[in-house]
Amino acid sequence: MQVYLVGGAVRDHLLGHPYHEKDYVVVGATPAQMLDLGYQPVGKDFPVFLHPKTKEEYALARTERKSGTGYHGFDFHTDISVTLEQDLIRRDLTINAMAMDDAGQIYDPYGGQQDLNNRVLRHVSDAFVEDPLRVLRIARFAARYTSAGFVIADETLALMQRLTESGELNVLTPERVWKETSRALTERHADVYFEVLRQCGALKVLFPEIDALYGIPQRPEYHPEIDCGIHTMMSLQQACRQNYSLDVRFAVLVHDLGKALTPVEELPRHIMHEERGIKPVNDLCDRLKVPTYTKQLALAVCKEHLKCHQAFNLKPGTLWRLLQRLDVLRRPERVEAFVQACECDSRGRLGLEDRAYPQAQYVLDAMQIVRAIKAQDLPADIQGPDIGEMLIERRIQALGELKAQQTVSIE
């Protein structure tokens, strides 16, 4: 019985990157032996066990054979005769197909260390095309490691295109697509994930609403980058640059989906694109089963982002109603996230990446002002429905005073 650390932990160890999750493969053992040693079984499809003390996962070495469609369509075989090399060859990338023993010796039968040194993401074998989830995983790895200079090998990208064309992406469950996508969105270069998916044709299959933005023109005086798809990726880059939350990054990703629905005769203007965007945002979120809060913020940003850009010109009552729709009294964090997403939209433009966005502080100041006005501050003789009416009146009055203090003119 031999135990090896495998996968991402070995890869990141060699790269000098921090890692927290550890996976192990056990060669030459039976399920009965693992149970006798106190390991707890957790796997249904193949024997995986939890260490009795650390609770880390230990999987018996296995081989696999394609038997159906999708990433569940495999038959697994475990036996004491299965070698480490046989187990590693079923993995996706060479840099993930390495193992390390307790003495620190590296086992690298498929050239993972060379690809690490050359900064190449390369598939281990042609069995890569048997698992459609690998298209998303490779795109996510590209997003994670692009800052270190990693690129996808041409032959691997070709296999990703082949997988896309096979139709197997359609069998991926919404939960799995969202899991990979949400993880990719938290990467430092999340935009690379979507660019890679577009390169291999998967963006059109899994995210047709985003793919449709490419080739749609915008007015160059406002959008020097012109293309809506490029603007979306530049905006997402801004969200990553500021290390904003997953919710903000997703809202930025979908904020302009309505522009793909602009009638051709209206281009490059996009009148009412906010309203047109509601349906595709809803469709995408419902299809992928996006979490409720994430969806709500995305819809708010889609529908209201122009109002944030125009904040200095809004009447006090209009600004109050915007804050109300954002649930300012109960969820101030939503207002903050909304402002962050709008800031990314403003800066996600060619040559304007570092421009000031004073509207952000103005809306946040407005949020603090209205939240500071409470019922207990009203005269004691104000009762019943009059309380709500006077609170609104005072909040709008306070926003009027804030507006009067502003000297910044926004076109």
Side-chain angles (χ1 to χ4, degrees), residues 67-78:
S67 60
T69 58
Y71 59 93
H72 285 310
F74 294 90
D75 289 331
F76 296 96
H77 170 70
T78 61

Side-chain angles (χ1 to χ4, degrees), residues 39-74:
Y39 287 80
Q40 300 173 334
V42 293
K44 292 183 179 179
D45 298 324
F46 46 83
V48 177
F49 300 85
L50 295 181
H51 190 282
K53 293 182 179 179
T54 66
K55 303 305 178 183
E56 292 168 335
E57 288 191 357
Y58 288 68
L60 296 187
R62 63 187 186 270
T63 60
E64 61 186 30
R65 180 177 61 85
K66 184 75 169 176
S67 60
T69 58
Y71 59 93
H72 285 310
F74 294 90

Side-chain angles (χ1 to χ4, degrees), residues 178-213:
W178 173 248
K179 180 179 179 180
E180 289 296 325
T181 301
S182 61
R183 292 178 70 182
L185 279 168
T186 62
E187 297 291 353
R188 185 178 175 185
H189 295 280
D191 56 295
V192 173
Y193 173 80
F194 298 97
E195 293 290 1
V196 169
L197 293 182
R198 184 166 178 256
Q199 278 184 281
C200 69
L203 191 67
K204 189 172 185 178
V205 175
L206 298 173
F207 303 93
E209 299 88 352
I210 298 171
D211 186 74
L213 291 171

Side-chain angles (χ1 to χ4, degrees), residues 2 4 6-7 23-31 42-49 57-65 71-72 74-92 96 110 131 134 137 176:
Q2 296 170 297
Y4 301 91
V6 293
D23 293 312
Y24 296 87
V25 66
V26 182
V27 178
T30 66
V42 293
K44 292 183 179 179
D45 298 324
F46 46 83
V48 177
F49 300 85
E57 288 191 357
Y58 288 68
L60 296 187
R62 63 187 186 270
T63 60
E64 61 186 30
R65 180 177 61 85
Y71 59 93
H72 285 310
F74 294 90
D75 289 331
F76 296 96
H77 170 70
T78 61
D79 187 88
I80 59 173
S81 64
V82 176
T83 66
L84 177 64
E85 290 76 12
Q86 288 176 311
D87 181 272
L88 293 176
I89 199 171
R90 68 182 175 76
R91 298 176 185 269
D92 50 9
N96 295 330
Y110 304 109
D131 185 355
R134 287 176 171 175
R137 280 175 53 83
R176 205 60 191 263

Side-chain angles (χ1 to χ4, degrees), residues 339-400:
V339 167
Q340 290 171 349
C342 294
E343 177 186 42
C344 294
D345 172 36
S346 175
R347 291 177 174 164
R349 311 177 192 216
L350 189 62
L352 302 174
E353 295 88 347
D354 296 311
R355 70 170 170 178
Y357 191 69
Q359 296 95 319
Q361 192 58 53
Y362 181 69
V363 174
L364 293 178
D365 288 345
M367 175 187 75
Q368 296 297 338
I369 285 171
V370 300
R371 285 178 55 81
I373 299 174
K374 303 181 183 298
Q376 56 263 37
D377 300 324
L378 300 180
D381 59 340
I382 303 297
Q383 300 292 326
D386 292 340
I387 294 177
E389 292 181 8
M390 180 164 282
L391 281 173
I392 292 174
E393 180 181 327
R394 289 201 172 186
R395 285 165 178 158
I396 292 176
Q397 180 182 1
L399 291 178

